[in-house]
Amino acid sequence: GFYSLMALGGSATWEGNTALARDAFRRAITLRPDDVDAWLGRYEASDRDSGDADDRYAAQRYLSLKPQGYPHTYRVSHIEAAVR
């Protein structure tokens, strides 16, 4: 389910397995397309220097959901700067 995919994505990101993390978060997003944590996870599993269109879309989609509270208030300003 959704939470299993989120846990898998988080663990894979922590371990540096970005391919598995991206896949897990992508699958979680299909289950809950408006979940800000899933979009944040998908973005954080990206190679931010690659210029990959999917990575950029993940950042833009996350920001479009107007996330509030911790950790989002901290992340939003950093992601906004990164996608400029």
Side-chain angles (χ1 to χ4, degrees):
F2 176 80
Y3 292 106
S4 296
L5 290 168
M6 292 293 291
L8 176 61
S11 295
T13 299
W14 181 261
E15 293 171 356
N17 188 343
T18 55
L20 178 59
R22 289 168 64 144
D23 182 60
F25 287 122
R26 201 174 290 127
R27 290 168 50 204
I29 288 165
T30 63
L31 296 174
R32 293 191 185 177
D34 292 331
D35 188 275
V36 294
D37 293 313
W39 283 105
L40 177 60
R42 171 59 188 84
Y43 172 74
E44 290 185 336
S46 68
D47 177 1
R48 295 173 190 97
D49 298 325
S50 73
D52 183 90
D54 286 342
D55 295 343
R56 189 166 186 79
Y57 179 77
Q60 292 168 340
R61 180 69 175 119
Y62 169 73
L63 294 172
S64 77
L65 294 170
K66 304 203 181 319
Q68 301 290 316
Y70 181 83
H72 305 292
T73 48
Y74 170 76
R75 298 284 198 268
V76 165
S77 60
H78 286 61
I79 294 173
E80 285 174 335
V83 296
R84 286 185 196 151

